[in-house]
Amino acid sequence: MNLVILVAAIAPVVLIFGLGYLAGKYKDFDHDQAIGFSHFALKYALPVALFLSMASFKRDLLLQQGPLVVVMIIGYSLFFGVSYLVLCMMTRDRLTAVLLGYAVSSTAAPIYGLTVLDPIYGDTVGGGVVGLAAVVTNLLQVSVVIYLLESASRSETSRPSLARTLGKTIKNPLVWAPVLGTIVSLSGLTMPPVSVSVLKPLAVCAPGAAIFACGLALASYSLNLRSRTVILGSLVCVVLQPAVFFVALKAWGLKSAMAKAAFVASAMPTSTPSALFAQQYGKCEVETASIMLLTTLGMVVVIPATVAICEWI
């Protein structure tokens, strides 16, 4: 892989994330402004970008991605389930097990993916993988995580309904926007040029805005990069999880550009909601925020390594 392409893929993430972190540390944005910025990025700009990516995806190519979706379910959702059970067996309380299990199994691919994958694999493949990852992780992982968090923090009589939790998850723009785009693609319809022109300015700013919002949010957390939990959790996130993807892709015999891009996406940092969940429930805040920072910095090494390993897929 050309070094210039790798730099073009990784450098913007590190730079924009760093600027957001510094902006947060120097109080350029107050708490309400930071929340508003995150809402703009995650509820408006990024969903529009995912919708356009999936809507412009070729129907025939999309219909071939069933096995890849299964691999993502194994690599994200099933991996979370195993992580959660292992942490429970290590005498961790359930709330801690959910939070740390999600921290090591979640992915920032829906946020960082467009910036990292597009220069390497092109808009169609990069956008397709990001859209599929957004649907799988939000629909089949986040909904279960929210249910388990609520269950662990409440009494038996006040535990939430899984169906209700799933319903709330479906209302998330990061879920229904790529799903809607997928429906458009599968229908064989073509987006009118005027519609694309209207939405594209918002979609173009989405990756930068989302990455900046991540750095901005992280600045409000305490960090401990020397913790054994943080170091092991980061290694699980960027080494063990990609290894699971590699084995699944090899076992299924998937060798397409989409498969390789999905493998690279599996090595991306833990997602921002992992730190937000920890803050909301008042537990593991330092650990999840530190894992988020360490895995983001680790992209400088991990992404080029996964791109090189793709030669064996």
Side-chain angles (χ1 to χ4, degrees), residues 57-143:
F57 210 73
K58 293 182 179 180
R59 181 174 180 273
D60 293 342
L61 183 59
L62 184 58
L63 289 172
Q64 299 171 13
Q65 304 313 314
L68 186 58
V69 171
V70 175
V71 169
M72 287 185 174
I73 293 173
I74 294 171
Y76 293 127
S77 304
L78 186 60
F79 190 78
F80 162 73
V82 172
S83 300
Y84 169 68
L85 292 175
V86 169
L87 286 164
C88 284
M89 289 187 291
M90 292 171 62
T91 68
R92 293 276 191 177
D93 63 272
R94 288 182 59 216
L95 191 57
T96 299
V98 178
L99 291 169
L100 290 181
Y102 181 63
V104 302
S105 62
S106 63
T107 178
I111 296 175
Y112 298 168
L114 294 175
T115 304
V116 175
L117 298 177
D118 284 7
I120 301 175
Y121 296 103
D123 295 349
T124 299
V125 171
V129 167
V130 170
L132 292 176
V135 172
V136 170
T137 56
N138 284 286
L139 193 58
L140 299 178
Q141 188 184 52
V142 173
S143 58

Side-chain angles (χ1 to χ4, degrees), residues 8 16 37 67 93 109 115 137 173 184 186 248 262 275 279 297 302:
I16 297 171
F37 200 98
D93 63 272
T115 304
T137 56
V184 172
L186 292 176
Q279 185 181 53
L297 296 177
V302 175

